[in-house]
Amino acid sequence: MKIRVTYGGICGSDLSVYRGKIQHATYPVRPGHELVGVVKEAGSIANVTEGTRVVVTPNTFCGECEYCLNEQENICPNKKSIGINADGGFSHEFIIDARYVIPIPDEVSDEKAVLIEPLAVIVHGLKKTQFEKREFSTRHWLWD
């Protein structure tokens, strides 16, 4: 599917790629993974139609290995991260498999939609964390 980029966020990893500080990056590489765009060409098996506003999920996977089949796509040996070891979307247009785009509701602005990917990373991390309720009093540390 061909995406026309309308908005992009610059992430710390984009800066690290630019500075040559990510060892698993493949150079030369075009950065950009926090992206909002419009589907310009959908293709015959796409899950969205032309003209749809979308965000991009930045990690690709094969969908066929034992890890993918066990819902562990994050450790797929064929995983690629756009903007790191596959060209990213800091361009007018780029091509990506339709399974890595998510439609955006009309009421969500590009400025807010570009934050979906970093927010998803935070939510994923919080889901893996266990919290314990504790009583907190400022007296214990401010005046001791």
Side-chain angles (χ1 to χ4, degrees), residues 22-138:
I22 296 185
Q23 293 179 358
H24 63 279
T26 304
Y27 295 98
V29 66
R30 183 178 57 237
H33 63 272
E34 295 175 5
L35 304 166
V36 178
V38 176
V39 176
K40 189 167 179 181
E41 294 177 22
S44 60
I45 58 170
N47 56 346
V48 294
T49 59
E50 292 177 12
T52 303
R53 289 175 56 241
V54 296
V55 292
V56 174
T57 59
N59 295 309
T60 67
F61 51 88
C62 74
E64 298 173 0
C65 71
E66 69 174 287
Y67 298 106
C68 288
L69 295 175
N70 286 304
E71 298 181 3
Q72 296 176 303
E73 296 91 351
N74 62 312
I75 55 175
C76 170
N78 301 304
K79 173 186 160 190
K80 296 285 185 187
S81 298
I82 67 169
I84 295 176
N85 51 19
D87 275 336
F90 284 169
S91 60
H92 293 291
E93 298 176 346
F94 71 103
I95 295 176
I96 190 166
D97 189 299
R99 68 177 146 174
Y100 305 115
V101 300
I102 301 168
I104 306 168
D106 290 339
E107 61 270 13
V108 177
S109 68
D110 286 355
E111 293 84 359
K112 291 178 181 174
V114 78
L115 298 173
I116 291 172
E117 189 274 336
L119 178 61
V121 171
I122 293 166
V123 170
H124 178 74
L126 288 174
K127 284 184 176 181
K128 292 181 167 275
T129 306
Q130 293 182 348
F131 292 97
E132 179 181 311
K133 183 178 178 181
R134 291 186 173 196
E135 295 297 321
F136 178 77
S137 171
T138 56

Side-chain angles (χ1 to χ4, degrees), residues 9-22:
I10 298 174
C11 178
S13 58
D14 293 317
L15 296 175
S16 294
V17 167
Y18 174 75
R19 293 178 179 135
K21 294 188 175 188
I22 296 185

